[in-house]
Structure formats: C-alpha cells, structure tokens
Amino acid sequence: MTESGGRTAQPRRKRDPQRRIEEIVNATERVITRRGIEGLTHRAVAQEAGVPLGATTYHFATREDLIKAALERSVDRFGAYLDQWVAQRPHLSPEQFAVLLTDALMGSFTTDSRGQNVMEFELYLAALRRPELRSLADRHTANNIRAISHYTDPVTAAAVAAAAQGITLHGLANSQPPTRDEVEAVLRRILTPNPALPPPPPQG
C-alpha cells in the first residue's frame, strides 16, 4: 500500500499495554515522591509519564487505583530486596545481624534514599484509611518478618520488624535521624538477652 505521492505507508506500531501500565505506575511513584499522595492526580501522572490523560484513566479509572498499583509495586520491590539481602547473608549471629541491619536502616536517611523511602511510607500509611489496601500492608509486614526469621525466632523477628519500621519512620519524620549508636543499641537489645533482666525459667 502506498500513500499519496508514492511513499510506502509504514505499519502503525501497536502499543504494548503492559509497558504503558508500567510507565504510568513509575510516573505515579515519581509524582508521590515529589508531591505526596495529596498531590497525586491523573493529570499530574499523565504529564510525568508523557502520555495522554485518557491513557491513565483507561488503565486506572480512579486515583485510588493508582495508589493501589503503586503500593503493590512497592511491596513487591521490597520483598525482592529482602530475599536478595538474606540470600547474600545466609548465616549471621545476632550481633552481626544487628550491625548489618543498622547499616541498612541508616541508609534510609541518606539524601539518595530519603525520597524513595518517604514515598514508600506514604503508600504504606495510605492503608490506614483505605481498607482495600490492607492486604498489601499485611504482605509487606509478612515479608519483613519472614526475612528476619531467618536469623532469629518468629516472636523476636516480629519485634525487630516493628522496631525497624518505627526507627525508619521516626528518622524520616523527625528533624534529625537517630544516630548509628542509638539504632544499633535498640536492635541489640531486642536480638540479645538483656543482662538487667533475670534469665527465663527453665522449660518443662
């Protein structure tokens, strides 16, 4: 087939729907990083992604759909990071784990990581008022406890996961993040016996 003037018409390239969805979700994360969830709109996402406004509303009918997709991406990414972290460190003593986990938490407060971590916390906290997001929040918590359980018992793992999340949130929200010594002291207290307490009674 030829166009007027004798030029051969080029076949129209089909858009890849999955790629378009990925572009929109990536743009959603960038908008939330800069503006927060309160600044998230379909128009802002479309502009960020460089796509027509109709493309965002076609794949994500509501603003809540955008938030859910971004949270799901965040949970999957964090789960993959945890799996890789554990695979690279299969055997750690409680003391070693406290030191390395402190390294990871302190990294959350650096200039390079802060924006990403604030965005992910905003998405996680969105579940406070959105019951439809709570299964994703549950999965985030379960991933964290499962990874930490590789190094300690499940109850201690749950305590470490809660402490790590609280430390990170406080460090991002407060005027100054905690010092490395403060973070490591908290984790060591949870992971190792407290010498100020009597030993537990013998079992049986």
Side-chain angles (χ1 to χ4, degrees), residues 8 29 57 84 103 114 124 136-137 149 168 196 198:
T8 301
E29 289 189 334
T57 55
Q84 183 181 37
D103 289 342
R114 179 182 172 80
Y124 179 80
L136 290 171
S149 294
T168 306

Side-chain angles (χ1 to χ4, degrees), residues 2-198:
T2 61
E3 297 176 351
S4 58
R7 292 179 301 169
T8 301
Q10 296 296 320
R12 181 170 293 179
R13 235 182 240 180
K14 285 188 178 179
R15 291 193 180 95
D16 179 352
Q18 190 56 44
R19 182 177 178 183
R20 176 57 59 86
I21 289 170
E22 291 291 318
E23 291 171 346
I24 292 170
V25 177
N26 285 338
T28 298
E29 289 189 334
R30 293 195 298 272
V31 170
I32 295 173
T33 298
R34 287 203 307 272
R35 304 185 182 186
I37 284 182
E38 68 275 7
L40 180 68
T41 64
H42 277 92
R43 187 172 300 279
V45 171
Q47 290 174 347
E48 180 68 29
V51 302
L53 178 60
T56 64
T57 55
Y58 176 78
H59 292 291
F60 301 96
T62 69
R63 180 173 172 272
E64 301 306 307
D65 292 334
L66 289 169
I67 293 170
K68 183 176 181 179
L71 177 57
E72 187 166 15
R73 165 79 64 81
S74 172
V75 170
D76 289 344
R77 182 172 53 232
F78 185 60
Y81 163 77
L82 291 174
D83 289 343
Q84 183 181 37
W85 200 94
V86 171
Q88 292 173 348
R89 302 161 182 84
H91 306 293
L92 295 175
S93 68
E95 291 78 10
Q96 290 171 324
F97 183 46
V99 170
L100 293 176
L101 182 54
T102 299
D103 289 342
L105 295 181
M106 295 305 295
S108 301
F109 310 134
T110 64
T111 302
D112 290 342
S113 299
R114 179 182 172 80
Q116 176 81 13
N117 280 282
V118 169
M119 180 270 294
E120 291 182 348
F121 256 110
E122 285 203 63
L123 287 170
Y124 179 80
L125 292 174
L128 287 172
R129 295 187 180 276
R130 295 170 173 84
E132 68 275 12
L133 299 183
R134 288 175 190 164
S135 63
L136 290 171
D138 290 343
R139 182 145 58 90
H140 179 280
T141 301
N143 287 343
N144 212 357
I145 294 173
R146 186 189 70 245
I148 297 170
S149 294
H150 192 81
Y151 306 107
T152 186
D153 65 274
V155 174
T156 303
V160 172
Q165 193 163 37
I167 288 167
T168 306
L169 178 58
H170 293 164
L172 293 171
N174 292 0
S175 57
Q176 292 292 329
T179 67
R180 180 187 176 82
D181 286 347
E182 290 169 341
V183 173
E184 190 172 329
V186 170
L187 296 178
R188 284 183 179 277
R189 176 56 56 87
I190 299 172
L191 287 162
T192 59
N194 182 353
L197 297 176

